[in-house]
Amino acid sequence: MGEFEVHRVRFFGLVPAGVRCLACHPGGAHLALARTDGAVEVYNFAANYFQEKVIPGHEARSVESLCWAAEDRLFGAGLSGDITEYDLARLSAARGVDGGGGPIWSMAANGTGTQLAIGCEDGSVKVFQVVPGGIQFERNLDRRKGRVLCLSWHPSDTHIVAGSIDFFRVIDVASGQTVQRIMVNHHVEKAKRECVVWAIALLSSGTVVSADSFGRVQFWDWEQGTLAESLSVSTSAVLSLAVSEKEDSIVVGTSTGATYQLQLLPVKLGGPEKRWVRTKPFQYHSHDVRAVAHSPTALISGGLDAQLVIRPLMEKMQKKTYDAVLRKFTFPHRRLVSCARKARLLLFQFSQHLELWRLGSTEETGKDGEVLPLCQMPEHLVQLKSKGPEHIYSSCVSPCGTWVGYSTASRFQLYRVHCDGDGVSLRKV
């Protein structure tokens, strides 16, 4: 091998965007992920969880909830108050519909994928019908005071459970009326602070599973309005919850970065009576776990530390293969740094601007592995800001260092770079 120099680049101040929500495809083939900067990613389970598609973010489009409907159609909703359908072929937001209730905190699709329910800031739950080419407003359900933070459909599509602050309610879809309203902290002595229901699920048996800011996962009989079981999972808030397809396993994420698995196990070996038991704790994240998903063979979690973690369930694996390996997706899959070798320049890509740097240089020589002192420090030449609310999708600098180009979802920009003794100037082409 020939001699070469290695530059340790420590001046790329990238701040990765955290994972805000996850949505598993009903068929189990794909995973959709939304980040705090509005970007949406799609991972292919069949291709070793390869990041198949990326839809760049938008300043005016925050994504609080994702869901699949009508088989392969992906919808997102957020604090802008719009429901957006994504074009997975063109990698863009295809169309948007105003929810009509202010910021949207939650969204869920029914079992058949023909209807979407959204929970709004004004306390309303609205149902939209999924039609070819878009969605249509269908009806308003019973409105109560307090933002609707989480939603879940009954597998039979007859009822919707909606979680808010201090309570949740069960709504009959046919009549649109609330049939049960349950306070989640009425039995707590001297409860002086609010109890936020961050996540909720309605099982086929009629049991409501709620996760709250007191660190509890609770199981309710909604017809009787009684608490059947309560598990103190963590000393901090439980922020997310997902149920397996067979409804015998639950994964939850907490604000300490820990995830827990709960399983429905028999009280006595071979006996008919079963209870929910916290079985497996995992600490893979350093920040809030705002999103979890439960695939047939793995527990999936996404945190504000920008990590996506996929932990296979070993009891579901027939043998130890590549599919049984723990996966951590820490770094972006697309290229964010481009190099102009002849000009010794580096171009760094951020969401709404680019930075052009000149590498440092040295006149010293040394042995293999030695760190050489710099005679010229790295130099920040120019910062190029993108106009408009769209985030930058890709960028590049030419090998000679005289051209810089970048693209968003709808436009492409090219600049001529001119370096002289007075500095660097850019001219738009």
Side-chain angles (χ1 to χ4, degrees):
M1 295 179 62
E3 295 183 357
F4 58 89
E5 295 178 347
V6 176
H7 295 265
R8 293 182 178 177
V9 178
R10 297 180 177 177
F11 43 86
F12 183 21
L14 175 67
V15 179
V19 178
R20 181 61 192 86
C21 52
L22 297 171
C24 265
H25 190 276
H30 292 88
L31 173 73
L33 174 152
R35 297 191 178 270
T36 52
D37 63 353
V40 175
E41 304 168 5
V42 177
Y43 291 82
N44 191 334
F45 283 13
N48 294 324
Y49 299 95
F50 171 69
Q51 189 189 75
E52 193 174 73
K53 304 174 188 293
V54 176
I55 301 173
H58 195 283
E59 285 298 299
R61 188 174 63 235
S62 69
V63 184
E64 290 290 319
S65 183
L66 282 175
C67 67
W68 297 90
E71 295 183 356
D72 296 329
R73 296 171 64 179
L74 181 63
F75 293 88
L79 301 184
S80 63
D82 294 334
I83 305 171
T84 303
E85 182 175 359
Y86 296 99
D87 189 333
L88 298 181
R90 298 185 178 183
L91 301 182
S92 62
R95 58 189 70 87
V97 175
D98 186 6
I104 300 173
W105 290 94
S106 53
M107 178 175 61
N110 65 349
T112 57
T114 57
Q115 291 176 308
L116 295 178
I118 61 171
C120 304
E121 174 75 21
D122 63 356
S124 63
V125 176
K126 303 176 186 294
V127 177
F128 289 78
Q129 186 176 5
V130 181
V131 297
I135 58 175
Q136 290 181 353
F137 174 74
E138 186 172 332
R139 62 184 305 184
N140 273 313
L141 303 183
D142 190 17
R143 175 181 170 184
R144 298 293 176 93
K145 186 178 180 180
R147 64 177 61 145
V148 181
L149 295 171
C150 48
L151 285 173
S152 178
W153 288 77
H154 190 272
S156 63
D157 300 342
T158 57
H159 293 82
I160 293 175
V161 61
S164 300
I165 298 175
D166 288 335
F167 71 93
F168 69 85
R169 54 198 174 102
V170 181
I171 306 171
D172 185 273
V173 177
S175 65
Q177 298 300 313
T178 297
V179 296
Q180 187 65 268
R181 184 177 184 271
I182 299 177
M183 303 294 294
V184 295
N185 62 345
H186 69 91
H187 60 284
V188 180
E189 295 182 2
K190 299 180 181 179
K192 297 181 179 179
R193 58 190 175 98
E194 295 178 335
C195 181
V196 182
V197 181
W198 284 116
I200 205 160
L202 181 54
L203 306 184
S204 57
S205 61
T207 301
V208 175
V209 187
S210 65
D212 57 43
S213 58
F214 286 179
R216 303 169 304 185
V217 176
Q218 296 181 309
F219 301 84
W220 305 82
D221 184 340
W222 72 265
E223 292 183 347
Q224 302 295 328
T226 57
L227 178 65
E229 198 171 346
S230 179
L231 297 177
S232 294
V233 175
S234 173
T235 56
S236 60
V238 180
L239 301 175
S240 50
L241 179 148
V243 184
S244 66
E245 185 179 358
K246 295 183 178 180
E247 298 184 352
D248 58 355
S249 175
I250 295 175
V251 58
V252 298
T254 67
S255 59
T256 60
T259 55
Y260 300 90
Q261 185 185 11
L262 284 69
Q263 291 179 285
L264 187 61
L265 301 175
V267 176
K268 294 182 179 180
L269 188 63
E273 184 183 356
K274 294 184 177 181
R275 294 191 64 181
W276 287 96
V277 180
R278 194 187 80 177
T279 55
K280 299 172 185 176
F282 311 107
Q283 185 75 46
Y284 296 128
H285 300 274
S286 59
H287 293 69
D288 295 3
V289 181
R290 298 295 299 271
V292 292
H294 203 310
S295 77
T297 58
L299 306 179
I300 306 168
S301 60
L304 293 185
D305 57 1
Q307 287 195 110
L308 173 66
V309 178
I310 301 174
R311 187 193 185 282
L313 295 171
M314 300 307 296
E315 62 269 20
K316 302 291 184 180
M317 299 295 175
Q318 300 296 328
K319 54 184 178 179
K320 291 184 178 180
T321 61
Y322 185 73
D323 293 334
V325 178
L326 174 71
R327 292 171 173 82
K328 281 188 178 182
F329 299 94
T330 306
F331 301 102
H333 283 212
R334 53 200 177 100
R335 188 178 68 174
L336 300 178
V337 180
S338 59
C339 177
R341 295 182 60 186
K342 295 180 180 178
R344 299 174 61 84
L345 299 179
L346 286 179
L347 182 69
F348 299 142
Q349 176 184 318
F350 297 85
S351 61
Q352 285 200 296
H353 73 274
L354 304 173
E355 289 184 1
L356 187 65
W357 287 71
R358 179 182 284 121
L359 284 173
S361 60
T362 182
E363 296 177 353
E364 302 291 333
T365 58
K367 299 180 181 179
D368 292 345
E370 288 186 354
V371 179
L372 305 180
L374 296 177
C375 63
Q376 183 178 352
M377 298 300 292
E379 182 182 0
H380 183 196
L381 299 179
V382 68
Q383 183 182 91
L384 176 60
K385 293 185 178 180
S386 171
K387 295 181 180 180
E390 293 181 327
H391 289 184
I392 298 173
Y393 182 70
S394 61
S395 61
C396 190
V397 59
S398 63
C400 59
T402 57
W403 299 94
V404 169
Y406 74 89
S407 66
T408 65
S410 63
R411 58 193 175 93
F412 168 74
Q413 301 286 352
L414 181 64
Y415 290 84
R416 182 68 183 265
V417 182
H418 180 67
C419 298
D420 54 24
D422 299 330
V424 179
S425 61
L426 293 177
R427 182 172 61 87
K428 186 178 178 181
V429 178

mmCIF file of all heavy atoms in Angstrom, residues 348-386:
data_model
loop_
_atom_site.group_PDB
_atom_site.id
_atom_site.type_symbol
_atom_site.label_atom_id
_atom_site.label_comp_id
_atom_site.label_asym_id
_atom_site.label_seq_id
_atom_site.Cartn_x
_atom_site.Cartn_y
_atom_site.Cartn_z
ATOM 1 N N PHE A 348 -20.572 20.282 3.696
ATOM 2 C CA PHE A 348 -21.421 19.656 4.698
ATOM 3 C C PHE A 348 -22.870 20.053 4.457
ATOM 4 O O PHE A 348 -23.166 21.231 4.237
ATOM 5 C CB PHE A 348 -21.011 20.078 6.109
ATOM 6 C CG PHE A 348 -19.604 19.703 6.474
ATOM 7 C CD1 PHE A 348 -18.819 20.557 7.239
ATOM 8 C CD2 PHE A 348 -19.047 18.510 6.056
ATOM 9 C CE1 PHE A 348 -17.519 20.220 7.581
ATOM 10 C CE2 PHE A 348 -17.768 18.156 6.381
ATOM 11 C CZ PHE A 348 -16.990 19.017 7.147
ATOM 12 N N GLN A 349 -23.765 19.079 4.510
ATOM 13 C CA GLN A 349 -25.185 19.319 4.255
ATOM 14 C C GLN A 349 -25.971 19.303 5.561
ATOM 15 O O GLN A 349 -25.886 18.353 6.345
ATOM 16 C CB GLN A 349 -25.738 18.252 3.310
ATOM 17 C CG GLN A 349 -27.226 18.353 3.058
ATOM 18 C CD GLN A 349 -27.733 17.225 2.191
ATOM 19 O OE1 GLN A 349 -27.090 16.853 1.209
ATOM 20 N NE2 GLN A 349 -28.881 16.673 2.532
ATOM 21 N N PHE A 350 -26.739 20.373 5.798
ATOM 22 C CA PHE A 350 -27.677 20.462 6.902
ATOM 23 C C PHE A 350 -29.090 20.555 6.320
ATOM 24 O O PHE A 350 -29.266 20.521 5.102
ATOM 25 C CB PHE A 350 -27.362 21.673 7.788
ATOM 26 C CG PHE A 350 -26.018 21.602 8.450
ATOM 27 C CD1 PHE A 350 -24.869 22.024 7.783
ATOM 28 C CD2 PHE A 350 -25.894 21.110 9.730
ATOM 29 C CE1 PHE A 350 -23.624 21.954 8.385
ATOM 30 C CE2 PHE A 350 -24.648 21.039 10.348
ATOM 31 C CZ PHE A 350 -23.515 21.461 9.679
ATOM 32 N N SER A 351 -30.080 20.672 7.180
ATOM 33 C CA SER A 351 -31.454 20.659 6.679
ATOM 34 C C SER A 351 -31.776 21.869 5.817
ATOM 35 O O SER A 351 -32.461 21.745 4.802
ATOM 36 C CB SER A 351 -32.440 20.567 7.847
ATOM 37 O OG SER A 351 -32.291 21.688 8.703
ATOM 38 N N GLN A 352 -31.246 23.051 6.183
ATOM 39 C CA GLN A 352 -31.582 24.245 5.420
ATOM 40 C C GLN A 352 -30.391 25.110 5.049
ATOM 41 O O GLN A 352 -30.557 26.251 4.638
ATOM 42 C CB GLN A 352 -32.607 25.093 6.190
ATOM 43 C CG GLN A 352 -34.004 24.507 6.157
ATOM 44 C CD GLN A 352 -35.059 25.538 6.471
ATOM 45 O OE1 GLN A 352 -35.102 26.074 7.560
ATOM 46 N NE2 GLN A 352 -35.919 25.819 5.509
ATOM 47 N N HIS A 353 -29.201 24.585 5.168
ATOM 48 C CA HIS A 353 -28.032 25.327 4.696
ATOM 49 C C HIS A 353 -26.879 24.365 4.426
ATOM 50 O O HIS A 353 -26.890 23.198 4.866
ATOM 51 C CB HIS A 353 -27.621 26.414 5.691
ATOM 52 C CG HIS A 353 -26.978 25.883 6.946
ATOM 53 N ND1 HIS A 353 -27.697 25.478 8.048
ATOM 54 C CD2 HIS A 353 -25.662 25.688 7.270
ATOM 55 C CE1 HIS A 353 -26.886 25.075 8.988
ATOM 56 N NE2 HIS A 353 -25.646 25.178 8.554
ATOM 57 N N LEU A 354 -25.885 24.865 3.693
ATOM 58 C CA LEU A 354 -24.672 24.121 3.386
ATOM 59 C C LEU A 354 -23.474 24.884 3.939
ATOM 60 O O LEU A 354 -23.494 26.120 4.016
ATOM 61 C CB LEU A 354 -24.500 23.935 1.876
ATOM 62 C CG LEU A 354 -25.639 23.263 1.102
ATOM 63 C CD1 LEU A 354 -25.359 23.322 -0.391
ATOM 64 C CD2 LEU A 354 -25.815 21.829 1.551
ATOM 65 N N GLU A 355 -22.428 24.145 4.313
ATOM 66 C CA GLU A 355 -21.187 24.762 4.767
ATOM 67 C C GLU A 355 -20.037 24.227 3.927
ATOM 68 O O GLU A 355 -19.915 23.014 3.729
ATOM 69 C CB GLU A 355 -20.932 24.466 6.253
ATOM 70 C CG GLU A 355 -21.875 25.180 7.193
ATOM 71 C CD GLU A 355 -21.526 24.943 8.651
ATOM 72 O OE1 GLU A 355 -20.523 24.230 8.908
ATOM 73 O OE2 GLU A 355 -22.239 25.461 9.525
ATOM 74 N N LEU A 356 -19.205 25.155 3.441
ATOM 75 C CA LEU A 356 -18.034 24.791 2.645
ATOM 76 C C LEU A 356 -16.786 25.081 3.470
ATOM 77 O O LEU A 356 -16.589 26.196 3.953
ATOM 78 C CB LEU A 356 -18.009 25.585 1.337
ATOM 79 C CG LEU A 356 -16.932 25.193 0.316
ATOM 80 C CD1 LEU A 356 -17.166 23.772 -0.193
ATOM 81 C CD2 LEU A 356 -16.916 26.175 -0.849
ATOM 82 N N TRP A 357 -15.949 24.055 3.656
ATOM 83 C CA TRP A 357 -14.743 24.158 4.471
ATOM 84 C C TRP A 357 -13.516 23.785 3.640
ATOM 85 O O TRP A 357 -13.595 22.940 2.737
ATOM 86 C CB TRP A 357 -14.810 23.222 5.674
ATOM 87 C CG TRP A 357 -15.748 23.652 6.757
ATOM 88 C CD1 TRP A 357 -17.114 23.646 6.722
ATOM 89 C CD2 TRP A 357 -15.392 24.140 8.048
ATOM 90 N NE1 TRP A 357 -17.639 24.104 7.899
ATOM 91 C CE2 TRP A 357 -16.597 24.411 8.749
ATOM 92 C CE3 TRP A 357 -14.183 24.379 8.705
ATOM 93 C CZ2 TRP A 357 -16.612 24.892 10.052
ATOM 94 C CZ3 TRP A 357 -14.202 24.849 10.007
ATOM 95 C CH2 TRP A 357 -15.401 25.115 10.662
ATOM 96 N N ARG A 358 -12.385 24.411 3.980
ATOM 97 C CA ARG A 358 -11.098 24.009 3.417
ATOM 98 C C ARG A 358 -10.330 23.217 4.467
ATOM 99 O O ARG A 358 -10.251 23.613 5.632
ATOM 100 C CB ARG A 358 -10.284 25.235 2.990
ATOM 101 C CG ARG A 358 -8.915 24.844 2.409
ATOM 102 C CD ARG A 358 -8.093 26.053 2.023
ATOM 103 N NE ARG A 358 -8.577 26.625 0.775
ATOM 104 C CZ ARG A 358 -9.007 27.875 0.657
ATOM 105 N NH1 ARG A 358 -9.060 28.660 1.726
ATOM 106 N NH2 ARG A 358 -9.418 28.336 -0.505
ATOM 107 N N LEU A 359 -9.788 22.077 4.064
ATOM 108 C CA LEU A 359 -9.050 21.230 4.991
ATOM 109 C C LEU A 359 -7.762 21.899 5.448
ATOM 110 O O LEU A 359 -7.170 22.698 4.721
ATOM 111 C CB LEU A 359 -8.712 19.886 4.334
ATOM 112 C CG LEU A 359 -9.852 18.869 4.202
ATOM 113 C CD1 LEU A 359 -9.379 17.683 3.382
ATOM 114 C CD2 LEU A 359 -10.321 18.406 5.573
ATOM 115 N N GLY A 360 -7.350 21.552 6.663
ATOM 116 C CA GLY A 360 -6.058 22.019 7.144
ATOM 117 C C GLY A 360 -4.926 21.264 6.459
ATOM 118 O O GLY A 360 -5.124 20.253 5.784
ATOM 119 N N SER A 361 -3.717 21.751 6.636
ATOM 120 C CA SER A 361 -2.552 21.131 5.985
ATOM 121 C C SER A 361 -1.374 21.120 6.949
ATOM 122 O O SER A 361 -1.347 21.843 7.953
ATOM 123 C CB SER A 361 -2.183 21.885 4.708
ATOM 124 O OG SER A 361 -1.863 23.242 5.006
ATOM 125 N N THR A 362 -0.405 20.288 6.655
ATOM 126 C CA THR A 362 0.794 20.165 7.477
ATOM 127 C C THR A 362 2.007 20.047 6.572
ATOM 128 O O THR A 362 1.903 19.585 5.423
ATOM 129 C CB THR A 362 0.697 18.942 8.402
ATOM 130 O OG1 THR A 362 1.847 18.885 9.220
ATOM 131 C CG2 THR A 362 0.582 17.646 7.604
ATOM 132 N N GLU A 363 3.140 20.462 7.108
ATOM 133 C CA GLU A 363 4.406 20.335 6.379
ATOM 134 C C GLU A 363 5.318 19.305 7.022
ATOM 135 O O GLU A 363 6.442 19.097 6.563
ATOM 136 C CB GLU A 363 5.104 21.692 6.335
ATOM 137 C CG GLU A 363 4.328 22.749 5.552
ATOM 138 C CD GLU A 363 5.012 24.106 5.587
ATOM 139 O OE1 GLU A 363 6.023 24.238 6.330
ATOM 140 O OE2 GLU A 363 4.562 25.020 4.875
ATOM 141 N N GLU A 364 4.841 18.684 8.086
ATOM 142 C CA GLU A 364 5.643 17.706 8.804
ATOM 143 C C GLU A 364 5.481 16.319 8.190
ATOM 144 O O GLU A 364 4.519 16.036 7.474
ATOM 145 C CB GLU A 364 5.220 17.657 10.277
ATOM 146 C CG GLU A 364 5.325 18.983 10.999
ATOM 147 C CD GLU A 364 6.763 19.426 11.209
ATOM 148 O OE1 GLU A 364 7.636 18.538 11.269
ATOM 149 O OE2 GLU A 364 6.999 20.651 11.302
ATOM 150 N N THR A 365 6.396 15.460 8.490
ATOM 151 C CA THR A 365 6.312 14.054 8.106
ATOM 152 C C THR A 365 6.531 13.211 9.357
ATOM 153 O O THR A 365 7.149 13.662 10.333
ATOM 154 C CB THR A 365 7.366 13.692 7.051
ATOM 155 O OG1 THR A 365 8.678 13.987 7.571
ATOM 156 C CG2 THR A 365 7.120 14.471 5.763
ATOM 157 N N GLY A 366 6.027 11.997 9.320
ATOM 158 C CA GLY A 366 6.169 11.146 10.488
ATOM 159 C C GLY A 366 5.947 9.694 10.142
ATOM 160 O O GLY A 366 5.777 9.323 8.970
ATOM 161 N N LYS A 367 5.938 8.870 11.177
ATOM 162 C CA LYS A 367 5.745 7.443 11.003
ATOM 163 C C LYS A 367 4.254 7.113 10.980
ATOM 164 O O LYS A 367 3.409 7.946 11.266
ATOM 165 C CB LYS A 367 6.441 6.692 12.133
ATOM 166 C CG LYS A 367 7.948 6.910 12.190
ATOM 167 C CD LYS A 367 8.560 6.136 13.345
ATOM 168 C CE LYS A 367 10.066 6.372 13.423
ATOM 169 N NZ LYS A 367 10.682 5.644 14.563
ATOM 170 N N ASP A 368 3.970 5.864 10.679
ATOM 171 C CA ASP A 368 2.587 5.415 10.632
ATOM 172 C C ASP A 368 1.936 5.569 11.998
ATOM 173 O O ASP A 368 2.498 5.171 13.024
ATOM 174 C CB ASP A 368 2.521 3.940 10.209
ATOM 175 C CG ASP A 368 2.938 3.749 8.756
ATOM 176 O OD1 ASP A 368 2.986 4.766 8.042
ATOM 177 O OD2 ASP A 368 3.218 2.604 8.372
ATOM 178 N N GLY A 369 0.739 6.157 11.998
ATOM 179 C CA GLY A 369 -0.020 6.306 13.226
ATOM 180 C C GLY A 369 0.263 7.576 13.991
ATOM 181 O O GLY A 369 -0.421 7.863 14.981
ATOM 182 N N GLU A 370 1.249 8.366 13.607
ATOM 183 C CA GLU A 370 1.557 9.605 14.313
ATOM 184 C C GLU A 370 0.583 10.714 13.935
ATOM 185 O O GLU A 370 0.114 10.774 12.794
ATOM 186 C CB GLU A 370 2.989 10.055 14.023
ATOM 187 C CG GLU A 370 4.053 9.201 14.675
ATOM 188 C CD GLU A 370 5.443 9.780 14.473
ATOM 189 O OE1 GLU A 370 5.576 10.789 13.726
ATOM 190 O OE2 GLU A 370 6.388 9.250 15.043
ATOM 191 N N VAL A 371 0.306 11.593 14.875
ATOM 192 C CA VAL A 371 -0.544 12.755 14.637
ATOM 193 C C VAL A 371 0.360 13.934 14.322
ATOM 194 O O VAL A 371 1.190 14.329 15.159
ATOM 195 C CB VAL A 371 -1.431 13.060 15.863
ATOM 196 C CG1 VAL A 371 -2.288 14.295 15.599
ATOM 197 C CG2 VAL A 371 -2.322 11.870 16.194
ATOM 198 N N LEU A 372 0.199 14.505 13.138
ATOM 199 C CA LEU A 372 1.077 15.588 12.689
ATOM 200 C C LEU A 372 0.468 16.935 13.038
ATOM 201 O O LEU A 372 -0.749 17.127 12.916
ATOM 202 C CB LEU A 372 1.286 15.490 11.179
ATOM 203 C CG LEU A 372 1.829 14.142 10.660
ATOM 204 C CD1 LEU A 372 1.991 14.187 9.153
ATOM 205 C CD2 LEU A 372 3.162 13.822 11.329
ATOM 206 N N PRO A 373 1.281 17.896 13.476
ATOM 207 C CA PRO A 373 0.757 19.238 13.783
ATOM 208 C C PRO A 373 0.383 19.977 12.499
ATOM 209 O O PRO A 373 1.020 19.797 11.445
ATOM 210 C CB PRO A 373 1.926 19.907 14.504
ATOM 211 C CG PRO A 373 3.144 19.210 13.992
ATOM 212 C CD PRO A 373 2.737 17.785 13.757
ATOM 213 N N LEU A 374 -0.644 20.801 12.579
ATOM 214 C CA LEU A 374 -1.113 21.559 11.421
ATOM 215 C C LEU A 374 -0.404 22.898 11.335
ATOM 216 O O LEU A 374 -0.255 23.602 12.338
ATOM 217 C CB LEU A 374 -2.627 21.788 11.508
ATOM 218 C CG LEU A 374 -3.524 20.550 11.459
ATOM 219 C CD1 LEU A 374 -4.984 20.957 11.619
ATOM 220 C CD2 LEU A 374 -3.335 19.796 10.152
ATOM 221 N N CYS A 375 0.023 23.235 10.138
ATOM 222 C CA CYS A 375 0.555 24.576 9.902
ATOM 223 C C CYS A 375 -0.535 25.525 9.413
ATOM 224 O O CYS A 375 -0.393 26.740 9.498
ATOM 225 C CB CYS A 375 1.710 24.522 8.903
ATOM 226 S SG CYS A 375 1.233 23.942 7.246
ATOM 227 N N GLN A 376 -1.629 24.949 8.907
ATOM 228 C CA GLN A 376 -2.780 25.747 8.486
ATOM 229 C C GLN A 376 -4.040 25.056 8.990
ATOM 230 O O GLN A 376 -4.295 23.900 8.687
ATOM 231 C CB GLN A 376 -2.831 25.889 6.964
ATOM 232 C CG GLN A 376 -3.975 26.765 6.477
ATOM 233 C CD GLN A 376 -3.973 26.940 4.973
ATOM 234 O OE1 GLN A 376 -3.031 26.529 4.301
ATOM 235 N NE2 GLN A 376 -5.021 27.545 4.442
ATOM 236 N N MET A 377 -4.842 25.768 9.801
ATOM 237 C CA MET A 377 -6.034 25.186 10.410
ATOM 238 C C MET A 377 -7.165 25.083 9.397
ATOM 239 O O MET A 377 -7.190 25.814 8.389
ATOM 240 C CB MET A 377 -6.486 26.041 11.591
ATOM 241 C CG MET A 377 -5.464 26.133 12.705
ATOM 242 S SD MET A 377 -5.042 24.530 13.405
ATOM 243 C CE MET A 377 -6.596 24.116 14.193
ATOM 244 N N PRO A 378 -8.141 24.179 9.627
ATOM 245 C CA PRO A 378 -9.319 24.134 8.744
ATOM 246 C C PRO A 378 -10.024 25.483 8.738
ATOM 247 O O PRO A 378 -10.125 26.165 9.763
ATOM 248 C CB PRO A 378 -10.187 23.043 9.374
ATOM 249 C CG PRO A 378 -9.238 22.204 10.157
ATOM 250 C CD PRO A 378 -8.171 23.118 10.650
ATOM 251 N N GLU A 379 -10.536 25.866 7.561
ATOM 252 C CA GLU A 379 -11.124 27.201 7.383
ATOM 253 C C GLU A 379 -12.558 27.085 6.884
ATOM 254 O O GLU A 379 -12.823 26.391 5.897
ATOM 255 C CB GLU A 379 -10.285 28.009 6.386
ATOM 256 C CG GLU A 379 -10.778 29.420 6.182
ATOM 257 C CD GLU A 379 -9.947 30.159 5.150
ATOM 258 O OE1 GLU A 379 -8.993 29.558 4.607
ATOM 259 O OE2 GLU A 379 -10.268 31.336 4.878
ATOM 260 N N HIS A 380 -13.456 27.748 7.592
ATOM 261 C CA HIS A 380 -14.846 27.808 7.161
ATOM 262 C C HIS A 380 -14.966 28.898 6.100
ATOM 263 O O HIS A 380 -14.873 30.087 6.414
ATOM 264 C CB HIS A 380 -15.758 28.099 8.359
ATOM 265 C CG HIS A 380 -17.205 28.099 8.029
ATOM 266 N ND1 HIS A 380 -18.175 28.646 8.844
ATOM 267 C CD2 HIS A 380 -17.880 27.597 6.953
ATOM 268 C CE1 HIS A 380 -19.364 28.497 8.289
ATOM 269 N NE2 HIS A 380 -19.200 27.860 7.141
ATOM 270 N N LEU A 381 -15.224 28.501 4.859
ATOM 271 C CA LEU A 381 -15.211 29.451 3.750
ATOM 272 C C LEU A 381 -16.537 30.171 3.575
ATOM 273 O O LEU A 381 -16.571 31.402 3.458
ATOM 274 C CB LEU A 381 -14.842 28.719 2.452
ATOM 275 C CG LEU A 381 -13.468 28.042 2.436
ATOM 276 C CD1 LEU A 381 -13.253 27.339 1.105
ATOM 277 C CD2 LEU A 381 -12.358 29.053 2.702
ATOM 278 N N VAL A 382 -17.625 29.428 3.538
ATOM 279 C CA VAL A 382 -18.907 30.070 3.229
ATOM 280 C C VAL A 382 -20.049 29.220 3.747
ATOM 281 O O VAL A 382 -19.910 27.996 3.899
ATOM 282 C CB VAL A 382 -19.054 30.283 1.699
ATOM 283 C CG1 VAL A 382 -19.194 28.955 0.970
ATOM 284 C CG2 VAL A 382 -20.225 31.200 1.373
ATOM 285 N N GLN A 383 -21.165 29.880 4.062
ATOM 286 C CA GLN A 383 -22.409 29.201 4.424
ATOM 287 C C GLN A 383 -23.476 29.602 3.417
ATOM 288 O O GLN A 383 -23.729 30.785 3.208
ATOM 289 C CB GLN A 383 -22.857 29.578 5.839
ATOM 290 C CG GLN A 383 -24.107 28.831 6.299
ATOM 291 C CD GLN A 383 -24.553 29.248 7.688
ATOM 292 O OE1 GLN A 383 -25.358 30.153 7.830
ATOM 293 N NE2 GLN A 383 -24.012 28.582 8.703
ATOM 294 N N LEU A 384 -24.080 28.604 2.803
ATOM 295 C CA LEU A 384 -25.090 28.830 1.767
ATOM 296 C C LEU A 384 -26.443 28.402 2.311
ATOM 297 O O LEU A 384 -26.656 27.222 2.606
ATOM 298 C CB LEU A 384 -24.748 28.033 0.510
ATOM 299 C CG LEU A 384 -25.746 28.082 -0.653
ATOM 300 C CD1 LEU A 384 -25.927 29.506 -1.158
ATOM 301 C CD2 LEU A 384 -25.294 27.166 -1.786
ATOM 302 N N LYS A 385 -27.355 29.362 2.463
ATOM 303 C CA LYS A 385 -28.679 29.078 3.010
ATOM 304 C C LYS A 385 -29.670 28.787 1.892
ATOM 305 O O LYS A 385 -29.663 29.456 0.856
ATOM 306 C CB LYS A 385 -29.169 30.254 3.854
ATOM 307 C CG LYS A 385 -28.356 30.479 5.123
ATOM 308 C CD LYS A 385 -28.963 31.575 5.976
ATOM 309 C CE LYS A 385 -28.166 31.753 7.267
ATOM 310 N NZ LYS A 385 -28.750 32.825 8.124
ATOM 311 N N SER A 386 -30.526 27.798 2.147
ATOM 312 C CA SER A 386 -31.566 27.449 1.181
ATOM 313 C C SER A 386 -32.782 28.346 1.395
ATOM 314 O O SER A 386 -33.187 28.598 2.528
ATOM 315 C CB SER A 386 -31.960 25.984 1.352
ATOM 316 O OG SER A 386 -33.096 25.664 0.578
#
